[in-house]
Amino acid sequence: MLLDWRTLDFSREELNLLEEAPVLVRAGRRSFYSTILAMGGAFFRYDPGCLEAVDERGQRALRLVEDRIAGAPSDVHHWCQGDILIIDNWRVLHGRSPSDQGSGRRLARILIDA
Protein backbone atom coordinates (compact mmCIF):
# COMPACT_ATOMS: atom_id res chain seq x y z
CA MET A 1 0.00 0.00 0.00
CA LEU A 2 1.49 3.32 -1.10
CA LEU A 3 0.29 6.86 -0.38
CA ASP A 4 2.06 10.12 -1.27
CA TRP A 5 1.54 12.30 1.82
CA ARG A 6 1.30 15.41 -0.38
CA THR A 7 -2.04 14.16 -1.73
CA LEU A 8 -3.61 14.39 1.75
CA ASP A 9 -4.49 18.06 1.12
CA PHE A 10 -3.41 19.56 4.45
CA SER A 11 -4.19 23.24 4.97
CA ARG A 12 -1.36 25.67 5.85
CA GLU A 13 -2.58 25.65 9.47
CA GLU A 14 -2.51 21.83 9.54
CA LEU A 15 0.97 21.75 8.01
CA ASN A 16 2.12 24.15 10.73
CA LEU A 17 0.72 21.80 13.37
CA LEU A 18 2.51 18.82 11.80
CA GLU A 19 5.79 20.80 11.74
CA GLU A 20 5.48 21.96 15.38
CA ALA A 21 3.70 19.25 17.39
CA PRO A 22 6.18 17.11 19.34
CA VAL A 23 6.10 13.34 19.13
CA LEU A 24 8.31 10.68 20.64
CA VAL A 25 9.72 8.17 18.17
CA ARG A 26 10.16 4.92 20.08
CA ALA A 27 13.23 3.11 18.77
CA GLY A 28 14.50 1.10 21.73
CA ARG A 29 17.60 2.72 23.18
CA ARG A 30 17.70 5.18 20.29
CA SER A 31 14.30 6.80 20.91
CA PHE A 32 14.13 10.50 20.06
CA TYR A 33 11.79 13.50 19.90
CA SER A 34 10.69 14.83 16.56
CA THR A 35 7.74 16.16 14.60
CA ILE A 36 5.64 14.41 11.99
CA LEU A 37 6.60 16.86 9.25
CA ALA A 38 10.13 18.21 8.94
CA MET A 39 10.42 21.97 8.52
CA GLY A 40 9.75 22.89 4.91
CA GLY A 41 8.22 19.48 4.19
CA ALA A 42 11.54 17.70 3.61
CA PHE A 43 10.06 14.46 4.97
CA PHE A 44 6.93 13.10 6.61
CA ARG A 45 7.32 10.70 9.55
CA TYR A 46 4.33 8.54 10.43
CA ASP A 47 4.33 5.07 11.94
CA PRO A 48 1.56 4.40 14.46
CA GLY A 49 3.63 1.53 15.86
CA CYS A 50 6.39 3.78 17.15
CA LEU A 51 5.05 7.36 17.38
CA GLU A 52 3.70 8.68 20.66
CA ALA A 53 2.22 12.14 21.27
CA VAL A 54 4.12 14.21 23.81
CA ASP A 55 1.30 16.68 24.48
CA GLU A 56 -2.16 17.72 23.26
CA ARG A 57 -0.72 19.19 20.05
CA GLY A 58 0.93 15.87 19.28
CA GLN A 59 -2.36 14.08 19.91
CA ARG A 60 -4.15 16.45 17.51
CA ALA A 61 -1.44 15.95 14.88
CA LEU A 62 -1.59 12.16 15.10
CA ARG A 63 -5.41 12.16 14.92
CA LEU A 64 -5.28 14.48 11.90
CA VAL A 65 -2.93 12.15 10.03
CA GLU A 66 -4.93 9.05 11.01
CA ASP A 67 -8.16 10.64 9.77
CA ARG A 68 -6.62 11.74 6.46
CA ILE A 69 -5.06 8.37 5.79
CA ALA A 70 -8.31 6.55 6.59
CA GLY A 71 -10.13 8.55 3.91
CA ALA A 72 -7.41 8.52 1.26
CA PRO A 73 -7.15 6.14 -1.66
CA SER A 74 -3.81 4.35 -1.74
CA ASP A 75 -2.07 2.50 -4.52
CA VAL A 76 -1.58 -1.21 -4.01
CA HIS A 77 1.32 -3.08 -5.55
CA HIS A 78 0.50 -6.70 -6.35
CA TRP A 79 3.77 -8.57 -6.21
CA CYS A 80 5.05 -10.92 -8.87
CA GLN A 81 8.23 -12.94 -8.62
CA GLY A 82 11.24 -10.79 -9.45
CA ASP A 83 9.53 -7.46 -8.73
CA ILE A 84 11.59 -4.64 -7.30
CA LEU A 85 9.84 -1.65 -5.79
CA ILE A 86 11.71 1.57 -5.03
CA ILE A 87 9.98 3.93 -2.59
CA ASP A 88 10.88 7.51 -1.70
CA ASN A 89 10.69 6.88 2.03
CA TRP A 90 10.55 10.62 2.82
CA ARG A 91 7.53 11.23 0.60
CA VAL A 92 5.50 8.02 0.42
CA LEU A 93 3.67 6.43 3.33
CA HIS A 94 3.80 2.69 2.85
CA GLY A 95 2.73 -0.49 4.51
CA ARG A 96 2.31 -4.15 3.83
CA SER A 97 -0.12 -6.82 4.75
CA PRO A 98 1.04 -9.92 6.62
CA SER A 99 2.77 -12.55 4.53
CA ASP A 100 1.97 -16.21 4.61
CA GLN A 101 4.38 -18.12 6.79
CA GLY A 102 6.97 -19.71 4.56
CA SER A 103 6.18 -17.40 1.63
CA GLY A 104 9.88 -16.80 1.05
CA ARG A 105 9.34 -13.04 0.99
CA ARG A 106 12.49 -11.05 1.74
CA LEU A 107 12.76 -7.32 2.26
CA ALA A 108 15.97 -5.43 1.53
CA ARG A 109 16.68 -1.90 2.65
CA ILE A 110 19.06 0.39 0.77
CA LEU A 111 19.76 4.05 1.54
CA ILE A 112 20.55 6.32 -1.38
CA ASP A 113 21.77 9.65 -0.07
CA ALA A 114 21.44 12.07 -2.97
Side-chain angles (χ1 to χ4, degrees):
M1 297 169 283
L2 307 164
L3 176 63
D4 184 337
W5 75 265
R6 296 175 200 184
T7 65
L8 297 177
D9 200 27
F10 293 112
S11 69
R12 182 70 246 165
E13 180 179 288
E14 291 168 334
L15 290 170
N16 288 341
L17 173 66
L18 297 175
E19 287 180 341
E20 297 170 0
V23 293
L24 175 62
V25 181
R26 295 256 182 219
R29 291 184 176 162
R30 292 187 267 164
S31 296
F32 58 95
Y33 293 98
S34 185
T35 59
I36 293 172
L37 182 61
M39 296 301 274
F43 63 86
F44 193 93
R45 173 181 282 115
Y46 180 74
D47 182 342
C50 68
L51 289 184
E52 181 180 312
V54 173
D55 62 10
E56 187 271 332
R57 292 175 304 156
Q59 291 172 356
R60 281 194 350 248
L62 288 172
R63 277 194 309 270
L64 172 64
V65 174
E66 290 167 7
D67 291 346
R68 286 297 162 83
I69 290 173
S74 61
D75 292 320
V76 176
H77 179 79
H78 299 281
W79 291 94
C80 296
Q81 186 172 355
D83 280 0
I84 296 173
L85 180 63
I86 299 172
I87 299 170
D88 181 344
N89 202 35
W90 285 17
R91 180 174 171 177
V92 177
L93 300 171
H94 54 281
R96 60 186 178 355
S97 58
S99 69
D100 297 328
Q101 191 172 20
S103 69
R105 179 167 72 177
R106 291 179 304 184
L107 299 177
R109 174 183 246 171
I110 299 171
L111 173 64
I112 301 172
D113 191 12

